[in-house]
Amino acid sequence: MTDSETSNSVLTWSCPSPDDCNFTAGGTAELLEHVNTEHAGEYQRDDWPDTAVAQQEQYSDEDDSDESIDE
């Protein structure tokens, strides 16, 4: 495989804060440091993290809690 055949895409991670944070990290360690310094404690909020996967999980959890259990 030559260099021209390899992918030139670079992985980046956006800040998962629901507060419109525009930080983008080039690695997971950099993102972890950013979250721990700039958003310490925010992860305990119900709307954290503000990602499509987390929103879907939160939506499915709300659906589960709406079901009543008959005994």
Side-chain angles (χ1 to χ4, degrees):
M1 180 179 287
T2 65
D3 289 342
S4 63
E5 293 174 344
T6 60
S7 174
N8 290 330
S9 64
V10 175
L11 292 177
T12 59
W13 287 265
S14 298
C15 179
S17 174
D19 296 330
D20 295 325
C21 180
N22 293 323
F23 180 81
T24 301
T28 56
E30 184 182 7
L31 179 61
L32 177 64
E33 181 180 352
H34 168 77
V35 168
N36 285 336
T37 57
E38 300 297 322
H39 305 290
E42 288 183 26
Y43 60 87
Q44 296 175 0
R45 293 172 25 185
D46 289 339
D47 60 349
W48 180 274
D50 189 24
T51 63
V53 172
Q55 290 173 359
Q56 180 62 33
E57 182 67 24
Q58 185 177 16
Y59 178 75
S60 66
D61 287 347
E62 289 173 359
D63 285 348
D64 293 344
S65 66
D66 289 342
E67 297 175 4
S68 62
I69 300 173
D70 295 330
E71 292 184 23

